[in-house]
Amino acid sequence: GYIMTQNLHPADDNSEYLLRLQRDLGVALSASNDLPGILHLILSAIFQTGTADGASLYLFSNDLREIALESSKGFSPAFVEAARHAVFEEEIFSHIRASTSFYGSFDRLSSSLGGIGTAEGFHSFGIIPFLYGDMTLGAINVATRTQDRIPPQSRLVFETIAARLAGIINRIRNEDALKKVNRTLAELYEKLKISEERYRSVVEDLTDLVCRHLPDGTITFVNDAYAGYFGRSKDEFIGKRFLDIMNEDDREKAWRHIFSLEKDSPVGTIEFRVTLPDGTERWIDWTNRAIPSEKGNIAEYQSVGRDITDKKVLQEKLEYLGMHDALSGLYNSAYFDEEIKRLSTNRTIPTGVMV
C-alpha cells in the first residue's frame, strides 16, 4: 500500500521526497487497471506527503448531479456516512463546476456536513477536482489537523496526483467500454441465428470505428463511424489494405500483432498512429479479434478502434512534468537519477593491452 523509494522521509528533504513520491506513484498506477486498487494507492500517496490526516475520493456523474464517495481514509465512520450525503455550499461547488481547486478552513466543509465534522479536529482542507478534457470526473478531498492551511508545495503535489488520476480513470472507462463493445460484437457474430444484415445494423449504430479484413489485410467491411472518421465513403475502403491508414513506422508492429492472434488466443489490443486526409496524425486504440472458419483456420479479422489522442497528449505532459522543474522547465533530479541508472546499466568497461 505504500509508494516509497530510497528510504526517504518527508522531514529529510521535502521537495526531493515529494518528487520521488510522484514518480513512484506514476509507475505504480500505469501498471494497474483495478480501480479500487488505484484509489487505495492514491490515498496512500496523499498520506505519505506528510500533510494529510484525512482524505477521500469522489466520482461524479457527467452532469455533476450525482456525487459518489468511493474511498476514504483518516475520517471517523460518522463523518464518512455524512459525507456520502453531503451537499457542498455554493462557493465550494462553483469551484468544482469550474474544475478549480478550493482550499479553506475546515469549518467551511463541516457546515456542508451538518456540523458533524467539528469533532474531527481538522484545521484546514482542500477539494481538488480532477478532469479529463472538459469533463470533471471527480474530486480529492484532503484535510489536516496540524496546519492552518494546506502548504503550496503540497497543493502542487495533490493537483498533480489529481491530473494523473483523471487520465487513468478515463483510460479504464475507455478500456471497459471497448471490451463491452467487442464482447457484444463477438456474441452477435458467433450466433448463427442472427443474419448478416442484423449484424451490420448493430455495428452501424456504434460510434467506435469497426472494420473487418482478410488475413492479407484486404478490407471487407467498415461501418459509418470508420468511414466518417477518415473523411471518405465506405465504398472507398472496400478492397483496400487495412494497414494503409497507419503511420508507416507502425505497420510492421501492427502486422506482427495481427499475425499473433490465433484460435486459442483470438483477441488482442494495440495502439498505433493513423494519418487523416488533411495530414493530421492521431492515435487509435484497436481491439482486434481473429475469426476462425468452420475448418478452424483464421478466415477474417475484426477490429474495433477508439481515438486516444487526448490520452497520449496528457501522458506526454505528465512524463514531462515528472522529469522537469515546474517553474524553470529545467531537468529535475528524477531525470538525472534515470540517466545515471541508464548509464550504469549500459556502461561498457574499456580494455587495453600493453606490450
Side-chain angles (χ1 to χ4, degrees):
Y2 281 86
I3 313 297
M4 193 74 75
T5 62
Q6 302 290 326
N7 296 319
L8 284 175
H9 187 273
D12 298 332
D13 182 341
N14 199 43
S15 60
E16 180 74 7
Y17 174 85
L18 294 177
L19 183 65
R20 291 180 183 275
L21 177 63
Q22 293 177 73
R23 182 190 65 185
D24 293 346
L25 176 63
V27 172
L29 293 178
S30 65
S32 177
N33 286 322
D34 173 46
L35 185 56
I38 286 171
L39 298 183
H40 175 74
L41 286 173
I42 292 289
L43 287 178
S44 295
I46 289 172
F47 269 74
Q48 288 176 76
T49 62
T51 299
D53 298 301
S56 52
L57 296 167
Y58 297 87
L59 294 182
F60 301 158
S61 62
N62 291 343
D63 58 6
L64 300 183
R65 292 181 179 179
E66 296 181 12
I67 301 177
L69 175 62
E70 295 293 331
S71 188
S72 67
K73 182 178 181 181
F75 295 117
S76 69
F79 182 90
V80 172
E81 183 60 28
R84 294 186 186 278
H85 310 287
V87 178
F88 295 114
E89 63 176 74
E90 180 55 33
E91 183 181 359
I92 297 176
F93 200 69
S94 67
H95 280 266
I96 294 176
R97 284 196 297 266
S99 299
T100 57
S101 300
F102 180 90
Y103 299 93
S105 167
F106 192 76
D107 292 339
R108 298 285 299 276
L109 181 61
S110 181
S111 64
S112 298
L113 303 173
I116 197 170
T118 305
E120 298 288 312
F122 293 106
H123 291 180
S124 60
F125 81 104
I127 292 183
I128 305 98
F130 48 89
L131 67 155
Y132 190 87
D134 58 356
M135 181 180 296
T136 303
L137 303 180
I140 298 173
N141 174 30
V142 180
T144 177
R145 293 187 177 94
T146 58
Q147 303 184 58
D148 291 333
R149 65 187 185 94
I150 305 292
Q153 191 173 33
S154 295
R155 295 183 185 187
L156 179 60
V157 173
F158 296 148
E159 290 165 11
T160 301
I161 289 175
R164 289 183 182 276
L165 180 57
I168 291 166
I169 288 178
N170 187 73
R171 169 174 60 82
I172 291 175
R173 287 179 175 177
N174 277 341
E175 289 174 353
D176 288 344
L178 275 176
K179 289 177 182 177
K180 184 176 180 180
V181 168
N182 201 62
R183 283 197 302 268
T184 301
L185 292 180
E187 290 171 0
L188 288 175
Y189 194 82
E190 292 171 0
K191 290 180 179 178
L192 298 179
K193 297 178 182 178
I194 63 174
S195 65
E196 179 70 4
E197 289 75 18
R198 183 181 175 189
Y199 170 85
R200 289 174 181 262
S201 71
V202 171
V203 299
E204 290 297 5
D205 291 335
L206 295 174
T207 57
D208 296 294
L209 316 185
V210 180
C211 80
R212 282 159 46 190
H213 54 89
L214 301 176
D216 66 358
T218 302
I219 295 175
T220 59
F221 169 81
V222 300
N223 69 345
D224 288 336
Y226 187 104
Y229 183 85
F230 292 100
R232 302 176 187 174
S233 68
K234 294 166 62 176
D235 289 341
E236 290 181 76
F237 286 99
I238 306 304
K240 300 297 192 301
R241 288 169 56 84
F242 175 64
L243 296 185
D244 290 345
I245 64 171
M246 299 181 198
N247 182 291
E248 291 185 1
D249 294 336
D250 294 340
R251 292 179 182 179
E252 182 178 350
K253 177 181 71 173
W255 262 128
R256 288 200 302 269
H257 164 74
I258 290 173
F259 284 138
S260 71
L261 304 178
E262 54 190 13
K263 182 179 179 181
D264 295 331
S265 181
V267 181
T269 61
I270 187 174
E271 299 173 358
F272 59 72
R273 294 162 292 177
V274 301
T275 303
L276 302 184
D278 63 358
T280 303
E281 192 173 80
R282 307 287 293 180
W283 279 93
I284 305 291
D285 185 359
W286 293 97
T287 297
N288 301 297
R289 173 179 287 272
I291 302 173
S293 67
E294 293 181 358
K295 296 181 179 180
N297 58 313
I298 304 302
E300 201 172 24
Y301 294 90
Q302 177 176 272
S303 300
V304 181
R306 180 170 293 186
D307 191 307
I308 57 167
T309 306
D310 291 342
K311 184 190 81 170
K312 285 289 187 180
V313 171
L314 178 61
Q315 285 178 341
E316 291 176 0
K317 289 181 179 178
L318 292 176
E319 290 172 2
Y320 179 88
L321 291 173
M323 293 295 178
H324 295 76
D325 182 79
L327 297 178
S328 67
L330 300 176
Y331 288 124
N332 58 29
S333 59
Y335 169 82
F336 291 109
D337 285 347
E338 291 299 322
E339 282 297 292
I340 291 172
K341 186 184 301 181
R342 181 181 65 82
L343 292 173
S344 297
T345 55
N346 295 330
R347 182 174 56 194
T348 56
I349 301 175
T351 58
V353 177
M354 297 182 62
V355 295

